[in-house]
Amino acid sequence: MDQVIQVNNLYHRYGKLVAVQGVDFTVGLGEIFGLIGPDGAGKTSTFHILAGVMAATSGEVRVLGKLPREARLSIGYVTQQMSLYLDLSVEENLRYSAGLRRVPRLEFLQRRSHYLRLMGLEDFHDRLAGQLSGGMKQKLALCCALISEPKVLLLDEPTTGVDPISRREFWDILATVASQGVTIVVATPYLDEAERCHRIALMSTGTIQEIGTLSQLRQHLGLHRLEVRLKNSAQGIGTIIAAEQALIATLRLRPGFTLQEDSVSTKKQVQSVIMDVQTFGDRLDVLVKDESLGREQVNHILSSKKIVIAEMQSTEATLENVFVNHLRATGKEPEFIPFPRDSSPNLNRTVKPEPEVNKLIGSNAQLDPRVAIEAQSLRKVFGDFVAVKQVDLTIHYGEVYGLLGANGAGKTTMIKMLCGLLEPSRGRMSLAGQRHNLRSSAVRQKLGYMSQRFTLYDDLTIQQNLEFYCGVYQVPRSQRPQKINWVLTICGLLGQENMLTGQLPGGWKQRVAFGASVMHEPEILFLDEPTSGVDPLARRQFWRLINDFAQQGTAILVTTHYLKEAEQCHRLGFMVAGEVVAQGSPTEIKAAQPGQLMELVTNQSQAVSNLLKQHLDPWRISIFGDRLHLVLDTPDRDIAQIQALLKTAKIPINSFRPIPFSLEDAFISIVQRTQS
């Protein structure tokens, strides 16, 4: 491939801080190149240099054979912070961007129509940008970057906070643009979508650790992933926890652990092949060096604890597995620090609902003491708009429940009703053992709420924000220093507590907000997109903390647009247009999907996608780098037709095989079928 971008021995310093050190990479014509790394890895600094926004301290950078500053009119750049003018319309934002890039009027009119149609925004040209959904805003930002028809496109975390359907549409558009010869460099915290890049660079502490295709990175990792499902795990959450702890114990015993050979007390020393263990709601993911030995060791360890395995499947390692393994090797994985719980009696906190919840309330119905949140026929209307329609929901203590849906599905409205911030138009609710006075201070002291929008005060220091929330939640003064210190420690902010909160990057703010929402040890915790913009290692730490609170009996309702992490929930509910259209464990939801998910590998992904969309519903086809995912309802018939179509088009097939539904594929299938 022609080298459109060349970076050699790149360094950039901010005073004594070396943000980028010795970076080398090239990007070819029409390539989608992923730059992946944790917060503070140096990605945004690299983007600024590539875009010509700032100069490198040292090293050589060429874009289209020129210095970046000289090539700026040929570069489109979507920054991490929203780059639109929210008080201008879609049309006005486009005109402004075209004017900056000196696009002639006639060319602007032609391109405007083309890109609005490509993004699905042609019916919204006169709408204010501030009134668009998150996904539509990102599409408009991409439209503005493309209006000058750049040869290079730089995208710094363009889909943060965007729902899964809009993200998939966004990446399909990127594949189309790349097929037309545009070179794309993209950073993203969502490693499932990074798998759609042609090549991926793993970046940490200002350096690139490894570059390669997804297949090359997996091969270099050299590990196998075992998905382990336990018998009755959906009913017994404690079984999953016990299994995870038993397997994690072997990590601490490396390089060897004692494996019993037979029923007699004969024992032999065996090298542990277990490298990582992670809980995903109703299953465990175990990374092993050797698949056969890994199966044997997992079976032995769990059977010794009398834990019965229902199913164990071998699957390919994910990009997240590769990424986490690299960062572990450099010592970047944060240590898990359990929450310092109050062991003394606290009148504001009860481990279980108080005895009076068993009294008859209302229509002779008893409240189940195991139920933390319950909604019956819940409805919310704003004027003529029905935001939530007849929703029934039950969440138990110790359960992590994921509420998923596209932007505008009604998730945030639902959460605000459940935690007492909005009165429902109709229906009944119970919260922490109460059906009445849900907005009382006694009930609110039992709740923790981390909102979608960052709710800390930017003009206060981190310390002042945490002290404020300790006061609001009536944390005893004797406990405040220890709990504030815990928040600062898990956030990696010890020694920086006097920094203004507004100076923190988005991912770090999310960590502080989470800490503030749990310092009072709530019985019920509402988390509305808590990991938006958070890097993969911090996201893993988030979920360890979430699971730790669940193990202590806290009921947790979480929303997320990142469906890979949604698999860590015990149960899920999918919302579409104000209704919950599917519920169950992640495994149950994936298993319930009609038809078959197929993976098609070809060296002409875009051409195949364009061809198949003429014969199948467009949502059934999605590009993942050199692969396509196809949802087929009648695979026996459809596969033969697809093979015939590609043969006629003289497009060779490298591989065509059935694969299990991912949660993202299941979500999109459910939403699209519901709306059709």
Side-chain angles (χ1 to χ4, degrees):
M1 291 184 295
D2 295 334
Q3 293 183 354
V4 175
I5 297 174
Q6 297 170 298
V7 177
N8 298 309
N9 202 28
L10 176 64
Y11 279 82
H12 191 75
R13 296 179 177 84
Y14 299 96
K16 295 181 180 179
L17 174 66
V18 183
V20 181
Q21 45 187 324
V23 164
D24 298 282
F25 65 88
T26 61
V27 188
L29 180 68
E31 183 179 14
I32 303 178
F33 184 83
L35 197 59
I36 312 302
D39 294 332
K43 304 185 302 296
T44 297
S45 295
T46 303
F47 272 93
H48 286 342
I49 293 167
L50 289 175
V53 173
M54 68 183 186
T57 304
S58 64
E60 184 179 17
V61 180
R62 289 289 183 271
V63 178
L64 298 165
K66 305 175 183 177
L67 292 172
R69 287 184 64 85
E70 297 171 358
R72 281 190 296 182
L73 286 179
S74 299
I75 300 172
Y77 186 22
V78 177
T79 62
Q80 199 173 95
Q81 302 300 320
M82 183 59 66
S83 52
L84 300 174
Y85 292 92
L86 301 184
D87 54 350
L88 296 182
S89 68
V90 169
E91 175 85 20
E92 289 167 336
N93 269 284
L94 284 172
R95 286 187 180 277
Y96 178 74
S97 297
L100 284 179
R101 297 306 183 104
R102 307 172 190 170
V103 178
R105 183 175 177 278
L106 288 178
E107 290 183 19
F108 164 73
L109 293 175
Q110 292 172 348
R111 295 175 189 177
R112 166 197 169 280
S113 300
H114 169 70
Y115 287 117
L116 287 179
R117 186 167 56 254
L118 181 66
M119 308 289 175
L121 294 173
E122 62 264 44
D123 294 333
F124 303 94
H125 65 94
D126 57 350
R127 182 172 297 186
L128 292 181
Q131 296 175 353
L132 299 175
S133 69
M136 293 170 74
K137 284 177 183 173
Q138 294 299 81
K139 289 178 185 176
L140 175 57
L142 181 57
C143 233
C144 291
L146 290 172
I147 198 69
S148 63
E149 296 201 339
K151 296 177 181 177
V152 174
L153 188 58
L154 306 176
L155 306 172
D156 194 2
E157 299 191 5
T159 59
T160 296
V162 175
D163 69 74
I165 292 176
S166 295
R167 280 204 291 132
R168 178 165 285 195
E169 291 172 348
F170 191 92
W171 275 86
D172 283 348
I173 291 167
L174 292 189
T176 301
V177 170
S179 71
Q180 296 167 353
V182 177
T183 297
I184 300 174
V185 182
V186 59
T188 173
Y190 301 116
L191 295 189
D192 60 336
E193 72 177 20
E195 293 184 2
R196 303 174 189 229
C197 298
H198 299 126
R199 284 190 305 139
I200 303 151
L202 304 180
M203 195 169 184
S204 175
T205 58
T207 63
I208 289 181
Q209 307 291 319
E210 188 174 4
I211 295 179
T213 65
L214 177 60
S215 298
Q216 290 168 341
L217 295 176
R218 279 174 173 161
Q219 186 176 6
H220 189 259
L221 176 65
L223 299 178
H224 305 269
R225 182 165 65 96
L226 299 176
E227 290 188 356
V228 182
R229 291 175 175 80
L230 308 178
K231 208 163 188 179
N232 301 322
S233 62
Q235 289 74 35
I237 294 167
T239 307
I240 286 275
I241 297 166
E244 179 190 38
Q245 291 173 345
L247 293 172
I248 285 176
T250 68
L251 302 179
R252 293 192 291 269
L253 292 172
R254 198 177 288 115
F257 69 92
T258 303
L259 179 66
Q260 189 168 318
E261 189 177 41
D262 50 38
S263 57
V264 186
S265 295
T266 305
K267 296 183 178 180
K268 65 180 181 180
Q269 199 74 9
V270 177
Q271 178 75 28
S272 172
V273 298
I274 298 175
M275 303 300 293
D276 188 31
V277 181
Q278 189 174 7
T279 299
F280 280 90
D282 61 343
R283 77 166 200 267
L284 293 165
D285 269 17
V286 185
L287 280 185
V288 296
K289 291 181 181 177
D290 180 275
E291 182 184 342
S292 178
L293 283 176
R295 285 178 178 272
E296 179 186 340
Q297 290 181 4
V298 170
N299 269 312
H300 175 80
I301 293 163
L302 296 187
S303 63
S304 70
K305 302 291 183 181
K306 296 183 170 54
I307 298 171
V308 181
I309 296 174
E311 182 184 27
M312 193 185 313
Q313 290 182 329
S314 177
T315 59
E316 290 180 313
T318 65
L319 182 57
E320 185 158 331
N321 296 144
V322 175
F323 184 79
V324 169
N325 193 67
H326 267 282
L327 292 183
R328 270 194 179 146
T330 59
K332 294 299 177 183
E333 185 176 25
E335 180 186 359
F336 173 69
I337 304 171
F339 182 77
R341 288 181 170 80
D342 178 19
S343 57
S344 61
N346 185 341
L347 296 178
N348 290 327
R349 185 176 184 275
T350 53
V351 176
K352 293 182 179 179
E354 298 168 0
E356 58 263 28
V357 303
N358 287 320
K359 294 178 182 177
L360 294 178
I361 298 176
S363 57
N364 295 325
Q366 281 190 321
L367 288 176
D368 187 337
R370 299 170 302 168
V371 173
I373 304 170
E374 187 173 32
Q376 298 174 345
S377 301
L378 208 60
R379 182 179 176 88
K380 182 63 182 178
V381 179
F382 297 99
D384 296 330
F385 176 65
V386 182
V388 174
K389 309 171 185 176
Q390 306 299 114
V391 169
D392 295 316
L393 193 65
T394 302
I395 302 173
H396 296 85
Y397 287 99
E399 182 177 28
V400 182
Y401 186 95
L403 192 61
L404 311 180
N407 291 329
K411 306 183 301 298
T412 299
T413 301
M414 187 74 186
I415 286 181
K416 287 182 176 178
M417 284 193 289
L418 290 174
C419 66
L421 294 176
L422 273 178
E423 286 284 347
S425 303
R426 192 185 305 165
R428 294 195 310 172
M429 296 187 303
S430 69
L431 194 62
Q434 300 293 326
R435 274 231 173 97
H436 304 289
N437 300 319
L438 299 185
R439 303 180 77 170
S440 68
S441 60
V443 171
R444 291 198 177 191
Q445 286 300 316
K446 299 177 182 181
L447 309 182
Y449 179 41
M450 180 179 169
S451 72
Q452 190 179 54
R453 303 295 177 196
F454 186 63
T455 52
L456 301 185
Y457 295 94
D458 281 354
D459 55 350
L460 296 182
T461 66
I462 300 165
Q463 178 82 21
Q464 289 168 335
N465 265 298
L466 295 175
E467 288 175 349
F468 172 76
Y469 275 91
C470 280
V472 168
Y473 286 125
Q474 299 179 20
V475 175
R477 289 189 179 277
S478 61
Q479 298 172 19
R480 293 182 188 182
Q482 182 186 21
K483 293 186 174 180
I484 289 174
N485 187 71
W486 175 80
V487 176
L488 294 171
T489 302
I490 66 165
C491 294
L493 292 171
L494 276 175
Q496 301 181 63
E497 53 268 26
N498 293 320
M499 179 190 296
L500 285 178
T501 307
Q503 295 175 348
L504 287 173
W508 295 83
K509 286 182 181 179
Q510 294 292 87
R511 301 181 212 187
V512 177
F514 175 82
S517 69
V518 300
M519 284 192 295
H520 61 302
E521 304 178 48
E523 289 182 20
I524 299 172
L525 183 58
F526 296 95
L527 302 173
D528 197 1
E529 296 187 28
T531 63
S532 179
V534 173
D535 71 68
L537 274 186
R539 189 182 299 119
R540 178 176 276 213
Q541 185 189 43
F542 253 109
W543 277 94
R544 284 177 177 168
L545 293 168
I546 289 169
N547 286 324
D548 183 50
F549 275 92
Q551 289 170 27
Q552 300 300 319
T554 303
I556 301 171
L557 189 154
V558 60
T559 72
T560 176
H561 286 321
Y562 185 40
L563 294 181
K564 183 66 178 176
E565 77 173 5
E567 297 207 36
Q568 302 199 50
C569 299
H570 302 126
R571 284 194 304 131
L572 301 169
F574 286 0
M575 281 193 82
V576 179
E579 298 179 280
V580 175
V581 298
Q583 288 194 79
S585 71
T587 298
E588 290 168 344
I589 286 176
K590 287 186 285 187
Q593 295 313 298
Q596 176 65 58
L597 182 66
M598 302 292 297
E599 180 189 77
L600 174 62
V601 180
T602 172
N603 57 358
Q604 299 183 48
S605 298
Q606 188 61 49
V608 172
S609 174
N610 294 341
L611 176 62
L612 295 184
K613 284 181 180 179
Q614 298 173 24
H615 301 272
L616 299 171
D617 296 326
W619 66 267
R620 295 179 180 275
I621 303 141
S622 187
I623 297 176
F624 285 76
D626 63 345
R627 299 155 292 143
L628 289 96
H629 281 193
L630 311 177
V631 178
L632 305 180
D633 283 351
T634 52
D636 291 342
R637 183 193 69 191
D638 295 339
I639 289 171
Q641 290 181 348
I642 290 168
Q643 289 172 330
L645 282 170
L646 297 187
K647 185 176 181 180
T648 302
K650 298 181 179 179
I651 299 175
I653 296 174
N654 299 332
S655 170
F656 199 8
R657 64 186 181 112
I659 58 173
F661 271 92
S662 69
L663 196 58
E664 179 184 310
D665 288 303
F667 175 84
I668 289 171
S669 178
I670 288 170
V671 171
Q672 295 289 353
R673 292 177 196 275
T674 302
Q675 293 177 337
S676 62

